[in-house]
Amino acid sequence: MSVAALDATVGLGAREAAVVAPAELSPRTRALLRGPIVATLLRMAWPNVLVMVAQAATGLIETWFVSKLGTDALAMHAVIIHVALGAVFSGIMLGFGRPIYGALGGAGGELDAAVTYSNVVFAGSVLLWLLNGLASIIRGTGNMLVPALVICVGVAVLVPLSPLLIFGIGPFPALGIAGGGVALVLFYAAGTAVLAWYILSGRNIARLRPTRPRWPLFREILGVGAVAAVTSVQTNVIIALATALVATAAGAGAAAGYGTSARLEYLLVPLVFGLGAPLVALVGTNVGAGERKRALRIAFVGGALAFAITEAIGVVAAIWPQAWIALFSADPRVIETGADYLRIVGPSYGFFGLALALYFASQGAGRLFWPLTAGFLRMLVAIAGGWLALRLTGSLNWLFAALALGLVLHGLTLVVAIGTGAWFRNPPMRLTSPAA
């Protein structure tokens, strides 16, 4: 289950906690229900923004170092490190990684590099899930700083560790592309150990204690979390399939260019996640307290902030695309394709941020039908429409236009659905039955 899916449980708890008498509310809950929306949202968001940017930086740091090994390592790198869907997928990728990456367009040197890196990262992917899960448990108590500090310190260690293991500096062995994966797994292991110690030591409000498994709790969490996991997968599937289309139509160099530029889109996810986790709690608390109008205001304020941030990044990337792509490759084909992508898709990044923010807000409301539907609409337009455009014109630019249109429709669909009352057409979700 994704980090977003795990944090969906915060929304379940927030809605339940809000259904109490006003006198019983804690100061933190009163702030969620009565505090100024923008100030409260930003105060809760900044530690999350810090930690998620730090996590995203681990992939960007490795991409930069690995790019020094050549286009073979870079061409499929963007696809590989983002197929982290859990322990089940770890087994699938360890057993069938080579044919999967081959189907995505990998061949020769880039395929060998993809499999080498993938085997190392997926061997330790359970640690990634544990790290994110433990961080979500701590964030769910309102403590945003501890996960931020642990992950930021881990990234500070990862920055020098990656090149040491990739290039073999000093006493460290030269592991090549596998060294980047080893450094990442060590980061996951250390972060998991520290967060587990913090929770087990009793310093965290939420404790980990042996208890009898209860299916109703599994059902309620999965009712929101499983859907949230699907929506998280959608972006990965779109980029993976788009990479395959680019590779099939224009070769490994073009695929590397698209993959490098698409990494900027992935960087938007942690930025919006910083706003998203507070949106889950704020919207969930207000929906639980019956403050529907305030919940909607919070959702659209959060959506507007996310739109402004991601649109600004997209416009800058569209104006100066080479400034981003040249960080990872000097190959003319890589730069040309990546620049074309950013010029066409970059101006639509604001709608991507808007959709992500409203998706998190919908988690808090316990209403994920429209985020899921809008995500599938984006997939249909981006991949089916992109394939058709590519087949009819032979131009990657028309494929990129379809990807941009998918982002715009994704955001606008959620605005219309939520604005017309999609959250409140049915009774609100409850964690347990009234008799429980």
Side-chain angles (χ1 to χ4, degrees):
M1 193 179 294
S2 65
V3 179
L6 289 165
D7 279 345
T9 61
V10 177
L12 291 171
R15 289 195 299 277
E16 290 298 307
V19 189
V20 296
E24 301 175 25
L25 295 176
S26 68
R28 180 172 295 155
T29 303
R30 282 196 295 271
L32 297 179
L33 291 171
R34 301 288 182 261
I37 292 175
V38 175
T40 303
L41 182 58
L42 293 179
R43 186 172 63 251
M44 296 176 67
W46 77 261
N48 283 327
V49 172
L50 182 65
V51 68
M52 295 309 294
V53 169
Q55 282 188 307
T58 62
L60 296 178
I61 290 164
E62 289 199 344
T63 300
W64 188 83
F65 285 124
V66 168
S67 69
K68 306 308 175 185
L69 301 176
T71 301
D72 281 354
L74 180 63
M76 300 300 290
H77 190 67
V79 174
I80 300 165
I81 64 174
H82 291 97
V83 191
L85 303 179
V88 173
F89 291 94
S90 176
I92 293 173
M93 299 310 296
L94 289 173
F96 305 100
R98 181 170 290 273
I100 289 174
Y101 298 134
L104 292 175
E110 73 267 12
L111 179 58
D112 292 337
V115 174
T116 299
Y117 185 87
S118 175
N119 286 344
V120 174
V121 171
F122 276 98
S125 67
V126 171
L127 293 171
L128 168 62
W129 285 66
L130 283 173
L131 175 66
N132 287 325
L134 295 174
S136 293
I137 290 172
I138 297 171
R139 280 197 302 267
T141 67
N143 185 343
M144 309 290 177
L145 286 176
V146 168
L149 289 173
V150 169
I151 293 174
C152 288
V153 170
V155 171
V157 175
L158 180 66
V159 171
L161 184 60
S162 287
L164 291 176
L165 292 175
I166 290 172
F167 301 111
I169 301 172
F172 294 88
L175 301 178
I177 192 172
V182 171
L184 201 59
V185 171
L186 290 175
F187 162 66
Y188 295 152
T192 298
V194 173
L195 292 179
W197 168 82
Y198 181 82
I199 295 173
L200 294 173
S201 69
R203 290 170 170 80
N204 195 53
I205 295 175
R207 311 287 178 85
L208 294 177
R209 294 192 298 267
T211 186
R212 180 176 59 86
R214 296 167 57 192
W215 169 244
L217 295 180
F218 284 125
R219 184 181 63 242
E220 295 294 346
I221 293 172
L222 291 174
V224 177
V227 178
V230 172
T231 57
S232 298
V233 169
Q234 288 171 336
T235 295
N236 294 282
V237 169
I238 289 170
I239 291 182
L241 293 179
T243 300
L245 289 175
V246 173
T248 301
Y258 166 72
T260 300
S261 56
R263 292 194 69 80
L264 185 58
E265 181 178 331
Y266 273 117
L267 185 59
L268 302 179
V269 175
L271 288 174
V272 180
F273 185 92
L275 290 169
L279 281 173
V280 173
L282 281 162
V283 171
T285 300
N286 281 273
V287 168
E291 298 286 346
R292 294 184 172 187
K293 291 183 178 180
R294 178 175 167 84
L296 286 173
R297 284 200 305 273
I298 291 169
F300 286 118
V301 167
L305 289 172
F307 180 90
I309 294 169
T310 52
E311 183 67 11
I313 293 172
V315 169
V316 170
I319 297 173
W320 297 288
Q322 290 87 352
W324 171 260
I325 303 165
L327 292 173
F328 306 101
S329 178
D331 186 308
R333 184 57 170 154
V334 172
I335 294 176
E336 178 187 4
T337 303
D340 287 342
Y341 169 84
L342 288 176
R343 290 192 188 101
I344 295 170
V345 183
S348 66
Y349 276 178
F351 294 93
F352 181 53
L354 172 64
L356 281 176
L358 293 180
Y359 153 68
F360 282 111
S362 297
Q363 282 189 350
R367 295 289 183 262
L368 287 176
F369 172 80
W370 279 106
L372 186 65
T373 301
F376 280 119
L377 175 62
R378 178 194 170 192
M379 289 182 65
L380 178 65
V381 172
I383 300 305
W387 173 84
L388 182 60
L390 192 59
R391 183 176 179 85
L392 293 176
T393 67
S395 171
L396 290 179
N397 286 348
W398 283 104
L399 167 61
F400 297 155
L403 294 174
L405 179 59
L407 290 175
V408 173
L409 292 176
H410 191 189
L412 292 181
T413 299
L414 284 178
V415 169
V416 172
I418 295 172
T420 55
W423 283 357
F424 307 120
R425 293 192 183 119
N426 296 307
M429 178 185 295
R430 293 188 58 84
L431 183 62
T432 58
S433 65

